[in-house]
């Protein structure tokens, strides 16, 4: 059953969605912008976007080759050099797209999930410094590191379609998908742009286009008017 309170306060409408076991309260903006309120029951999250409800999404983002440059001529030895990770150039379009998602879609939780060599004494601290510089919006508790060669899926046991990995490395994407998550590949001009298993996002696309591609890949439907609003 679905109904709304006719009383409008500050251009908001209160929407009630009532099912046998759930009761959710939402604030629905008349201009189609809506924000996550809360979902009572079973610890699940739900958001009203436009005219429909959806499960909360978790977006895990790799760093090397996705947010930061991956150098064609680099060797494993190069990555041990002090200052290597901290001074990597950002893929600015991807970084800007992630910043937009954090700002405009609070119902999508954004995490960093990056691999490091366990004996590299500089990698984690330098990657954190890099993130503070280019994506300070991501809280420290949302940043995770795994040892190179380990499965990234160990970070998210019991994952579902709503747990999304944005990565450039097929082995990570394959593992994530095999464990029930959604895998999205980033083409960075070093890896292959061809894939029949995942949606591919090009790092060189405009940030607005990358946002729409990511939302589409993770099952976040957009109305045409909302796509226009993103580009505005």
């Amino acid at each position: 059953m679905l109904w709304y309170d006719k009383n409008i306060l500050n251009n908001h409408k209160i929407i009630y969605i009532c099912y046998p076991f759930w009761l959710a309260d939402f604030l629905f903006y008349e201009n189609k912008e809506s924000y996550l309120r809360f979902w009572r029951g079973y610890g699940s999250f739900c958001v009203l976007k436009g005219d429909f409800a959806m499960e909360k999404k978790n977006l895990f983002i790799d760093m090397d080759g996705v947010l930061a440059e991956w150098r064609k001529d680099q060797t494993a030895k190069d990555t041990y050099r002090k200052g290597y990770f901290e001074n990597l150039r950002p893929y600015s379009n991807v970084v800007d797209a992630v910043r937009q998602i954090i700002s405009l879609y609070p119902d999508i939780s954004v995490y960093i999930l990056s691999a490091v060599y366990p004996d590299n004494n500089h990698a984690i601290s330098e990657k954190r410094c890099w993130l503070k510089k280019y994506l300070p919006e991501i809280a420290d508790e949302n940043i995770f590191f795994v040892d190179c060669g380990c499965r990234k899926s160990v970070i998210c046991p019991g994952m579902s379609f709503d747990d999304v990995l944005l990565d450039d490395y097929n082995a990570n994407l394959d593992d994530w998908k095999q464990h029930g998550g959604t895998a999205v590949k980033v083409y960075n001009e070093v890896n292959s742009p061809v894939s029949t298993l995942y949606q591919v996002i090009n790092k060189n696309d405009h940030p607005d286009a990358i946002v729409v591609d990511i939302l589409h890949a993770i099952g976040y439907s957009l109305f045409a008017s909302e796509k226009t609003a993103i580009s505005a």
Side-chain angles (χ1 to χ4, degrees), residues 45-56:
F45 293 95
C46 194
V47 65
L48 189 68
K49 184 66 180 177
D51 297 314
F52 63 93
M54 64 177 293
E55 291 294 321
K56 185 171 179 67

Side-chain angles (χ1 to χ4, degrees), residues 6-221:
K6 292 183 179 179
N7 295 316
I8 301 175
L9 298 176
N10 297 326
N11 294 324
H12 297 77
K13 287 181 181 178
I14 303 298
I15 299 265
Y16 300 96
I17 304 176
C18 186
Y19 296 101
F21 303 105
W22 307 296
L23 175 64
D25 297 341
F26 295 100
L27 285 178
F28 179 46
Y29 282 64
E30 284 194 309
N31 65 358
K32 295 296 183 184
E33 282 296 338
S34 55
Y35 295 94
L36 175 68
R37 299 303 292 169
F38 58 88
W39 180 271
R40 300 188 185 96
Y42 301 105
S44 298
F45 293 95
C46 194
V47 65
L48 189 68
K49 184 66 180 177
D51 297 314
F52 63 93
M54 64 177 293
E55 291 294 321
K56 185 171 179 67
K57 304 285 188 179
N58 298 308
L59 178 60
F60 294 85
I61 305 173
D62 179 36
M63 289 186 67
D64 307 305
V66 173
L67 294 174
E69 67 175 328
W70 183 259
R71 298 171 179 169
K72 293 180 180 181
D73 57 348
Q74 75 179 15
T75 65
K77 185 178 180 180
D78 292 332
T79 66
Y80 283 80
R81 188 176 66 251
K82 189 173 182 179
Y84 175 84
F85 289 107
E86 189 173 357
N87 294 309
L88 287 173
R89 291 187 303 106
Y91 287 154
S92 298
N93 288 8
V94 181
V95 171
D96 289 347
V98 172
R99 188 174 289 119
Q100 284 190 44
I101 289 174
I102 293 171
S103 174
L104 298 175
Y105 299 90
D107 47 294
I108 299 176
S109 294
V110 177
Y111 302 89
I112 296 298
L113 181 51
S114 184
V116 296
Y117 289 111
D119 59 343
N120 188 327
N121 298 324
H122 310 298
I124 290 180
S125 61
E126 289 191 4
K127 288 191 175 191
R128 286 189 180 276
C129 286
W130 191 97
L131 289 166
K132 287 292 184 185
K133 181 177 181 180
Y134 294 107
L135 278 171
E137 298 88 346
I138 298 180
D140 287 342
E141 58 267 26
N142 283 20
I143 301 172
F144 299 97
F145 297 98
V146 297
D147 290 347
C148 284
C150 289
R151 294 183 293 105
K152 288 189 172 182
S153 59
V154 300
I155 290 294
C156 191
M159 72 173 68
S160 72
F161 176 83
D162 296 314
D163 299 303
V164 185
L165 176 65
L166 199 65
D167 208 299
D168 63 315
Y169 186 40
N170 282 355
N172 292 333
L173 297 166
D174 290 342
D175 167 68
W176 195 268
K177 190 172 181 179
Q178 288 169 7
H179 283 81
T182 298
V184 181
K185 185 175 183 177
V186 174
Y187 170 57
N188 56 23
E189 298 181 329
V190 179
N191 60 355
S192 170
V194 179
S195 176
T196 58
L197 299 176
Y198 333 102
Q199 177 164 335
V200 178
I201 292 174
N202 191 321
K203 75 172 184 68
N204 294 319
D205 284 347
H206 190 280
D208 295 346
I210 294 175
V211 170
V212 172
D213 285 344
I214 291 175
L215 296 179
H216 174 73
I218 66 179
Y220 201 122
S221 298

